[in-house]
Amino acid sequence: QEMYRGKAKSGKPRLMNAQEMYRKMLAKQSQSSDAPPFKVSAPALSIPDDTTLVVFGGTNWDNLGKGKEAHTKSAPNLMGPCRLVLPGVKVAFVATSSCSSHCIALSASGAAYAWGRNQCGQLGLGDTLTRAGPTEVTALQGTPLSAAATGKHHTLWLGAEGDLFASGSSKEGCVGPSADKRREMEATPVAVPGLAAGAAYVAAGGAHNLVIDREGTLWAFGSSECGVLGNGTDGQYNKSDSSIKLAYATEAAPLKVPKLAGRKMVHAACGPQHSAAVDEEGRCFTWGCGGYGRLGHKDQKDAWTPAELPGLRATRVVCGSAFTAATGHAVLHSGVVCASSSSLYMWGRVKSASQNCWMSPTVEQDLSGWKVQALACGSVHTVVGADSSVISWGPACSCGELGYGELGPKSSARPKKVDLLEGAHVAQVACGLAHTLLLAATDSAITDALPEWKPVQGAASGPSDAAGGAAAKGGAPKKTIAKKGGGKAKK
């Protein structure tokens, strides 16, 4: 009887298909009286004793994402994985994002290093000079950091004691209320007040931020365009009396996201124009720009307040430019969570522009059976650390951000292994506009065998040089993946 469900038109019992049987089996397991309520904890990094910072993709920071040829002899596209060495420093955290052309690395002692585009002082180094490679943020010496988040033109710095700092463009409220209103940027980190409980997690988007405090309350500040702050408005107004000149209200001081008040939030993410968050029950909420279905609500409407995604209980969520991804579990029509089976869900413009968007959370079937322990989305690419493999994919990639090597394809609509990193243990992944950072356990046969990339300061930007750029080489992966079972910070 367990194999039958309902009756066919003939009146005879209808056989269940394999998927229905599997879901019913999971439901029974989840309904066990001994099973605890489904709960989600804040994602925690497990840092290896010895780490290697691995990078691949574009390094011409000033031109990434601008539609220009980014490949120069002195600032090459790293087509395959390379080691980026910080002498005497154990890297314990890395940050970049889908709208960022700059990067952050934190040491195990909490020191900060920044590099990349810096036209708005987002590196926190007291100037607007682009840095080709990691440079210590001396303004934050004496303030151990535990995390950071990068936006398009700004950076959030999270202190180990819960204090929050920001640097970069201030005209849209991205660096908080302490910014000097007489200028449009803060090139040295300034304190962000207003979080009495202290910050526990930070995320940065194109011109907005999300912060989870130590009590699990979600806060937002920055530009309200598209409703990304979740306060019920997109803040649009006409700033001219004689013509149409639209602008968007800004909130420099952190404000609670009203609809999520009373919920304990454990994870949050920002895209350039959308936001996402997960509470302790795994309920995933999205809001902001709805174009291409990136909110997962089966339409393309903007949402000015957080809306829950039914049918999914997430453990973490990340945002690309026009898509979103989450690891999590299916929820049956009965409300039962299939807690014994985790999958990678994606929605939005996941594949190429010529393919239909995924309008609601959909399992990435090519990764069925894989245990995903690290996940990040760039502008158009996705990279995961799964079991002992690094897997990447994305359409319209051209700078080596997928890491397939000189002999491999530049882009791939389907997940493929990064062969040179096969067997590596990856603790963290961060993806940017057209680049990827990995924090991996040092391995003499894998990470130590990678070529070392030595950035050349003063060469981070420049004219096109199609002939130059010796990037890391690597063999082409197989076509498919076999399925498995300056001054001190201002206070």
Side-chain angles (χ1 to χ4, degrees):
Q1 292 179 349
E2 293 292 330
M3 294 180 61
Y4 293 90
R5 179 183 178 183
K7 293 185 178 181
K9 291 182 178 179
S10 62
K12 296 181 179 179
R14 181 174 66 85
L15 278 172
M16 278 187 179
N17 59 34
Q19 187 176 21
E20 290 173 332
M21 292 179 65
Y22 181 60
R23 283 182 174 270
K24 190 167 184 177
M25 178 188 70
L26 292 177
K28 281 193 171 184
Q29 293 176 359
S30 300
Q31 287 174 324
S32 170
S33 59
D34 298 329
F38 184 79
K39 291 289 183 182
V40 175
S41 301
L45 290 181
S46 178
I47 306 301
D49 293 334
D50 194 7
T51 61
T52 298
L53 175 55
V54 179
V55 300
F56 42 95
T59 66
N60 192 350
W61 307 110
D62 286 336
N63 285 333
L64 291 184
K66 294 184 177 181
K68 300 179 181 179
E69 173 57 59
H71 188 82
T72 70
K73 184 175 182 178
S74 51
N77 290 336
L78 305 177
M79 304 305 293
C82 296
R83 289 178 294 125
L84 178 54
V85 179
L86 282 68
V89 175
K90 176 185 175 180
V91 179
F93 182 90
V94 292
T96 190
S97 77
S98 60
C99 53
S100 300
S101 188
H102 66 289
C103 310
I104 307 298
L106 304 181
S107 72
S109 63
Y113 300 82
W115 68 102
R117 190 183 298 169
N118 192 33
Q119 82 274 32
C120 292
Q122 55 261 52
L123 300 186
L125 299 172
D127 56 42
T128 57
L129 176 66
T130 293
R131 299 304 198 280
T135 305
E136 186 173 3
V137 184
T138 57
L140 291 169
Q141 286 179 346
T143 305
L145 302 177
S146 60
T150 64
K152 185 176 182 179
H153 298 304
H154 70 286
T155 304
L156 296 183
W157 313 86
L158 176 59
E161 299 300 320
D163 40 353
L164 182 62
F165 302 88
S167 59
S169 174
S170 59
K171 62 182 179 180
E172 293 177 304
C174 296
V175 300
S178 299
D180 190 330
K181 293 179 174 58
R182 294 171 296 178
R183 52 178 179 253
E184 294 186 345
M185 68 179 72
E186 291 291 344
T188 300
V190 296
V192 179
L195 300 170
Y201 186 87
V202 292
H208 72 289
N209 307 302
L210 296 178
V211 180
I212 300 175
D213 69 19
R214 291 186 168 185
E215 295 178 349
T217 301
L218 184 67
W219 303 72
F221 62 103
S223 170
S224 58
E225 184 176 1
C226 298
V228 292
L229 301 185
N231 58 2
T233 177
D234 66 349
Q236 187 182 89
Y237 66 95
N238 188 7
K239 61 188 298 185
S240 174
D241 293 331
S242 58
S243 62
I244 297 178
K245 193 173 183 180
L246 299 179
Y248 297 88
T250 62
E251 298 289 349
L255 299 174
K256 294 180 181 179
V257 178
K259 190 170 181 179
L260 299 179
R263 292 181 180 270
K264 183 176 181 180
M265 310 307 293
V266 297
H267 200 227
C270 298
Q273 293 183 311
H274 72 294
S275 304
V278 177
D279 72 5
E280 65 176 345
E281 296 180 350
R283 300 181 185 277
C284 186
F285 301 85
T286 60
W287 63 99
C289 175
Y292 301 106
R294 75 193 74 182
L295 300 184
H297 301 310
K298 299 183 180 180
D299 57 34
Q300 298 193 64
K301 298 178 182 177
D302 292 356
W304 296 351
T305 58
E308 184 181 350
L309 292 171
L312 171 65
R313 293 294 176 89
T315 54
R316 81 186 87 178
V317 64
V318 294
C319 296
S321 287
F323 66 102
T324 311
T327 53
H329 308 267
V331 180
L332 303 183
H333 292 299
S334 62
V336 174
V337 180
C338 300
S340 60
S341 176
S342 178
S343 300
L344 175 63
Y345 291 81
M346 303 187 75
W347 56 95
R349 191 165 66 180
V350 176
K351 303 297 183 180
S352 68
S354 63
Q355 294 179 281
N356 292 334
C357 297
W358 296 5
M359 303 304 290
S360 62
T362 303
V363 173
E364 176 52 78
Q365 294 292 347
D366 285 342
L367 288 179
S368 294
W370 291 81
K371 181 180 179 181
V372 175
Q373 67 263 12
L375 166 67
C377 293
S379 177
V380 296
H381 73 292
T382 304
V383 180
V384 303
D387 297 324
S388 58
S389 298
V390 174
I391 301 169
S392 63
W393 67 101
C397 298
S398 61
C399 295
E401 57 264 51
L402 300 184
Y404 296 150
E406 288 272 4
L407 303 179
K410 289 184 178 180
S411 63
S412 173
R414 296 184 62 181
K416 296 178 182 291
K417 288 182 181 179
V418 179
D419 285 352
L420 287 178
L421 294 175
E422 184 63 19
H425 169 68
V426 175
Q428 188 190 4
V429 181
C431 295
L433 269 176
H435 57 285
T436 302
L437 307 178
L438 298 176
L439 188 60
T442 300
D443 188 303
S444 59
I446 303 173
T447 58
D448 288 352
L450 298 175
E452 181 181 351
W453 172 53
K454 297 181 179 181
V456 179
Q457 183 56 33
S461 64
S464 174
D465 182 2
K473 296 183 178 181
K478 296 178 180 179
K479 291 185 178 181
T480 58
I481 297 178
K483 294 183 181 179
K484 293 181 57 176
K488 297 296 181 183
K490 301 175 185 178
K491 295 288 185 179

